[in-house]
């Protein structure tokens, strides 16, 4: 048994066995023989135990400095030392290193350097390698950084020693995602744009040939913007119809909506549309920089709704030709440019239908809805021939026969004159066969134009033409559609001007009328009226008759 120190009254509780100091000399120990007959050494308490403090708890052991009495070499070799926490000085140095490293990274990024998005792929790596922190060239491979091990996942304890590695990983990860975002903005990898109709399964049989045709014509399709007092007024598309090699200037056909500042949303016959011919027009080129050049307005027509614009541009493709004949049911494509100058492609067919009472007589319909920026783009067939120009938002387009006649008259007279007939008409041809058969049984006619409305105060109104009557001939020619009527009226104007007539003069035109109200047996059922029509340049406005009720 241990021998008690003579000053044991002042000695505190002894430390646990693992923390007790080993005896330094043989004089400090003594022993006695046990009852079993063997002998062991028992450490004797220090005689200066009165000044020894109470042993620290296990959580604080190793943090207190050894007392002078326990400073011998043997005691220091046998004592197990716990790791020390970093001092305040070391902590400040580490903070200064972090701040210096952050400043260096900011300076490197300001010079345009890109950090390498690489890190060690070994799961046993304790921190990011120094090579992964080095900046790389823009063409360097893109590699996703891996988190250092041990990772900050579930079930893992946070290790302060790994903090620099974690910071390096987070920095590289942020740069990786930023570089990946820039990479996806490349024209070859960016698929954020909406798909065109060319991916439709119905076009698989003609997709290869149609794609070649569309891309060839797209080289002459441009986008336009108009501004008034620096504010955007309208956007539209257009396509080259002529190019002068000597002056390097091209003539572009587009819609007059590019300079329309106010238009009626209900009826195109109202004549209330307002135009700003002095607006600034800008053409968006198809070069790599998406450059813009000023465009000059040559002419615009309010009734037909077309405009001719001059643009200085290099010709990089063949100008497509116009097709004069219209085949109903023909497969067509409508091209244009959106607000970002991306190509728009719409697929449809020439509809077997005519204009309603709110639409002009010179319209055909494609069956595909066209948005505002694509108005003015070409309507082409599978061979790349132009069948018309997209006009108002919706499905309407101006056929090539009307466009060609307008261009011829503009080159001759610097204007596009026409005659105001004062009636809204629709073809019998586009009615249901059952309806056509009924008309034939009652009126003995299966072709012509049905009168829907008569403008109040017009020549036709004064001669007794009423809604429901049928026009079967104009100037001695049978007329089946409103497109045929418009072409005929412009040919009559052209002949009148060639013979010495002037804008504003009148022409007498014989018109064959079937008065449906009078019945087939009435001799007045069919008549020929002479309409004195004015050769005018402006838009034709329609006036509905009103009656004032007096009380």
């Amino acid at each position: 048994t241990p021998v008690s120190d003579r000053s044991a009254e002042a000695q505190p509780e002894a430390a646990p066995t693992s923390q007790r100091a080993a005896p330094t000399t043989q004089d400090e120990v003594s022993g006695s023989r046990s009852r079993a007959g063997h002998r062991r050494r028992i450490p004797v308490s220090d005689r200066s135990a009165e000044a020894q403090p109470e042993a620290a708890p296990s959580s604080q052991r190793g943090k207190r400095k050894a007392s002078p009495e326990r400073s011998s070499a043997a005691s220091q070799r046998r004592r197990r030392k716990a790791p020390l926490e970093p001092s305040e000085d070391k902590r400040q140095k580490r903070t200064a290193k972090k701040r210096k490293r952050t400043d260096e990274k900011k300076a490197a990024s300001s010079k345009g350097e890109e950090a390498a998005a690489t890190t060690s792929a070994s799961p046993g790596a304790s921190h990011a390698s120094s090579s992964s922190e080095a900046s790389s060239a823009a063409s360097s491979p893109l590699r996703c950084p891996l988190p250092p091990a041990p990772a900050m996942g579930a079930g893992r304890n946070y290790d302060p020693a790994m903090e620099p590695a974690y910071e390096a990983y987070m920095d590289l990860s942020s740069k990786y995602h930023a570089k990946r975002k820039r990479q996806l903005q490349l024209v070859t990898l960016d698929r954020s744009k909406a798909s065109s109709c060319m991916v439709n399964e119905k076009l698989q049989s003609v997709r290869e040939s149609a794609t070649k045709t569309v891309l060839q014509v797209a080289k002459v399709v441009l986008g336009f913007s108009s501004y008034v007092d620096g504010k955007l007024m309208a956007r539209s598309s257009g396509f080259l119809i002529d190019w002068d090699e000597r002056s390097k200037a091209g003539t572009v056909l587009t819609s007059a909506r590019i300079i329309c500042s106010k238009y009626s949303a209900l009826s195109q016959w109202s004549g209330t549309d307002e135009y700003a011919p002095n607006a600034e027009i800008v053409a968006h080129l198809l070069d790599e920089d998406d450059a813009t050049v000023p465009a000059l307005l040559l002419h615009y027509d309010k009734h037909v709704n077309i405009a001719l614009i001059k643009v200085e541009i290099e010709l990089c493709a063949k100008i497509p030709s116009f097709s004069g004949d219209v085949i109903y049911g023909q497969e067509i494509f409508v091209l244009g440019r959106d607000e970002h100058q991306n190509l728009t492609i719409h697929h449809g067919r020439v509809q077997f239908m005519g204009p309603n009472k709110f639409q002009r007589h010179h319209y055909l319909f494609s069956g595909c809805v066209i948005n505002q920026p694509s108005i003015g783009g070409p309507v082409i067939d599978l061979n790349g021939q132009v069948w018309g120009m997209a006009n108002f938002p919706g499905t309407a387009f101006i056929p090539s026969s009307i466009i060609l006649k307008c261009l011829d008259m503009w080159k001759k007279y610097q204007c596009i004159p026409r005659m105001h007939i004062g009636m809204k008409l629709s073809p019998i041809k586009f009615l249901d066969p059952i309806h056509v058969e009924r008309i034939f049984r009652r009126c003995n006619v299966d072709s012509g134009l049905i009168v829907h409305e008569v403008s109040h105060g017009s020549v036709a109104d004064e001669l007794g033409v009423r809604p429901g009557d049928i026009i079967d001939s104009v100037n001695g020619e049978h007329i089946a559609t409103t497109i045929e009527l418009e072409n005929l009226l412009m040919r009559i104007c052209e002949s009148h001007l060639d013979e010495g007539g002037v804008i504003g003069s009148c022409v007498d035109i014989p018109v064959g009328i079937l008065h449906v109200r009078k019945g087939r047996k009435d001799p007045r059922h069919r008549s020929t009226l002479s309409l004195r029509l004015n050769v005018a340049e402006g838009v034709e406005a329609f006036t509905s008759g009103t009656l004032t009720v007096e009380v």
Side-chain angles (χ1 to χ4, degrees), residues 4 21 28 51 76 79 87 97 102 106 111 118 201 212 248 314 382 402 416 494 513 523:
S4 302
E28 295 177 355
Q76 292 296 330
R79 183 179 301 275
S87 63
K97 289 181 179 180
T102 303
K106 291 182 179 179
K111 295 178 182 179
T118 58
E201 293 183 359
K212 292 181 180 179
K248 304 297 182 181
E314 290 289 341
L382 292 174
I402 300 293
I416 306 175
E494 186 177 13
I513 299 286

Side-chain angles (χ1 to χ4, degrees), residues 92-104:
Q92 293 179 357
K93 289 181 179 180
R94 188 172 64 184
T95 303
K97 289 181 179 180
K98 290 181 182 178
R99 188 180 299 107
K100 181 179 179 181
R101 185 163 55 249
T102 303
D103 295 341
E104 291 176 353

Side-chain angles (χ1 to χ4, degrees), residues 463-477:
L463 293 177
V465 180
R466 297 295 179 261
D469 291 347
I470 299 174
I471 297 177
D472 63 350
S473 66
V474 176
N475 202 32
E477 297 184 21

Side-chain angles (χ1 to χ4, degrees), residues 268-269 326 328-329 349-367 395-397 399 424-432 448-450 452 480-486:
Q268 300 169 13
W269 292 96
V326 175
Y328 294 98
R349 295 181 181 274
V350 180
Q351 302 295 297
F352 198 75
M353 60 181 294
N356 58 34
K357 64 179 183 179
F358 302 109
Q359 298 166 328
R360 299 289 189 184
H361 288 156
H362 56 272
Y363 287 160
L364 287 179
F365 302 90
S366 63
T395 64
F397 71 92
K424 293 182 180 180
L425 309 169
S426 66
I428 297 176
K429 178 178 181 178
F430 298 140
L431 297 177
D432 188 276
L449 302 176
I450 300 175
H452 280 281
T481 65
T482 55
I483 299 296
E484 295 177 3
L485 175 64
E486 289 294 322

Side-chain angles (χ1 to χ4, degrees), residues 188-357:
T188 52
L189 301 178
D190 184 11
R191 295 191 178 184
S192 60
K193 307 302 178 185
S195 301
S196 70
C197 63
M198 302 300 291
V199 300
N200 195 322
E201 293 183 359
K202 297 180 180 179
L203 297 177
Q204 293 302 309
S205 59
V206 296
R207 177 170 179 177
E208 184 175 2
S209 60
T211 299
K212 292 181 180 179
T213 300
V214 166
L215 294 180
Q216 181 66 25
V217 178
K219 297 178 181 179
V220 298
V221 179
L222 304 176
F224 292 90
S225 302
S226 60
Y227 300 86
V228 174
D229 297 332
K231 296 181 180 180
L232 178 66
M233 182 175 65
R235 297 182 188 272
S236 71
S237 301
F239 59 100
L240 282 171
I241 58 173
D242 192 17
W243 187 73
D244 185 19
E245 184 178 1
R246 183 174 57 183
S247 62
K248 304 297 182 181
T251 303
V252 177
L253 177 66
T254 184
S255 172
R257 292 289 289 270
I258 187 63
I259 57 170
C260 185
S261 58
K262 180 182 179 181
Y263 56 88
S264 173
L266 180 59
S267 176
Q268 300 169 13
W269 292 96
S270 63
T272 59
D273 296 349
E274 298 179 3
Y275 295 84
N278 296 324
E280 178 187 0
I281 304 177
V282 174
H284 301 269
L285 302 183
L286 304 179
D287 55 8
E288 182 180 0
D289 301 327
D290 294 333
T292 59
V293 294
L296 175 64
L297 178 65
L298 300 177
H299 181 74
Y300 73 100
D301 187 85
K302 300 178 181 180
H303 184 84
V304 186
N305 194 41
I306 63 173
L308 297 172
I309 297 176
K310 181 180 179 181
V311 180
E312 294 184 0
I313 186 176
E314 290 289 341
L315 183 64
C316 58
K318 180 181 178 181
I319 296 177
S321 60
F322 285 88
S323 175
D325 298 330
V326 175
I327 303 176
Y328 294 98
Q330 172 68 37
E331 199 169 22
I332 55 175
F333 293 92
V334 184
L335 308 184
R337 298 284 175 185
D338 62 11
E339 58 272 13
H340 303 293
Q341 308 312 313
N342 295 313
L343 181 66
T344 60
I345 310 172
H346 297 85
H347 173 259
R349 295 181 181 274
V350 180
Q351 302 295 297
F352 198 75
M353 60 181 294
N356 58 34
K357 64 179 183 179

Side-chain angles (χ1 to χ4, degrees), residues 353-485:
M353 60 181 294
N356 58 34
K357 64 179 183 179
F358 302 109
Q359 298 166 328
R360 299 289 189 184
H361 288 156
H362 56 272
Y363 287 160
L364 287 179
F365 302 90
S366 63
C368 51
V369 179
I370 309 300
N371 297 325
Q372 172 68 36
S374 299
I375 294 175
V379 180
I380 64 173
D381 61 6
L382 292 174
N383 297 322
Q385 287 189 311
V386 178
W387 282 49
M389 182 196 75
N391 202 351
F392 281 90
T395 64
F397 71 92
I398 305 174
S400 57
S401 60
I402 300 293
I403 294 175
L404 290 174
K405 180 56 65 177
C406 291
L407 294 177
D408 289 341
M409 298 183 74
W410 173 71
K411 291 178 181 178
K412 283 185 178 182
Y413 317 115
Q414 297 301 305
C415 65
I416 306 175
R418 63 178 300 277
M419 295 180 179
H420 298 178
I421 196 170
M423 292 179 284
K424 293 182 180 180
L425 309 169
S426 66
I428 297 176
K429 178 178 181 178
F430 298 140
L431 297 177
D432 188 276
I434 298 177
H435 195 179
V436 175
E437 196 271 341
R438 289 176 55 198
I439 294 174
F440 178 77
R441 286 190 292 112
R442 300 290 179 89
C443 306
N444 196 29
V445 63
D446 58 0
S447 181
L449 302 176
I450 300 175
V451 179
H452 280 281
E453 290 187 38
V454 181
S455 181
H456 178 67
S458 64
V459 177
D461 184 33
E462 295 175 355
L463 293 177
V465 180
R466 297 295 179 261
D469 291 347
I470 299 174
I471 297 177
D472 63 350
S473 66
V474 176
N475 202 32
E477 297 184 21
H478 177 72
I479 300 297
T481 65
T482 55
I483 299 296
E484 295 177 3
L485 175 64

Side-chain angles (χ1 to χ4, degrees), residues 131-150:
S131 61
S132 64
E133 297 178 356
S135 62
S136 60
S139 60
S140 62
L142 183 64
R143 298 186 178 92
C144 181
L146 298 177

